[in-house]
Amino acid sequence: VLYSFGYRTQMGWLLDPKEQSVFAHLSDRPTAVYDQPKAQLPVPDFAKDFSLTVEDLFSWLLDEKKLKLISTTNACDRT
């Protein structure tokens, strides 16, 4: 994540699914840890209208049906 800041990346998330926590790395601020389910995650400037909590993120990522939909959608986008 830190390497990418040299290439104009605004921010990055490092996810710990076991602890259900998110380390948010922002180019202009110290790293912050989000581990409370209702905590709002920071987003880059281009997504400022997007709202996501820690709980929403992990429930979405750990839902097998949604993962299958994502992989199917991504496969369609590549063709």
Side-chain angles (χ1 to χ4, degrees):
V1 173
L2 298 177
Y3 174 80
S4 63
F5 288 136
Y7 296 92
R8 304 178 75 184
T9 299
Q10 292 179 12
M11 67 163 298
W13 291 338
L14 180 62
L15 309 179
D16 182 343
K18 183 176 180 182
E19 296 294 325
Q20 293 205 357
S21 60
V22 178
F23 293 81
H25 300 273
L26 293 100
S27 61
D28 61 346
R29 289 182 252 164
T31 299
V33 179
Y34 296 85
D35 57 4
Q36 298 300 312
K38 300 296 182 193
Q40 288 287 326
L41 294 170
V43 296
D45 293 341
F46 68 85
K48 64 184 175 190
D49 295 331
F50 184 68
S51 178
L52 187 65
T53 65
V54 171
E55 180 178 51
D56 293 338
L57 174 66
F58 284 104
S59 68
W60 183 65
L61 290 175
L62 299 174
D63 183 334
E64 287 185 32
K65 290 178 186 174
K66 290 179 183 173
L67 287 176
K68 288 178 184 174
L69 176 63
I70 292 166
S71 62
T72 302
T73 302
N74 287 340
C76 292
D77 290 343
R78 290 184 206 129
T79 58

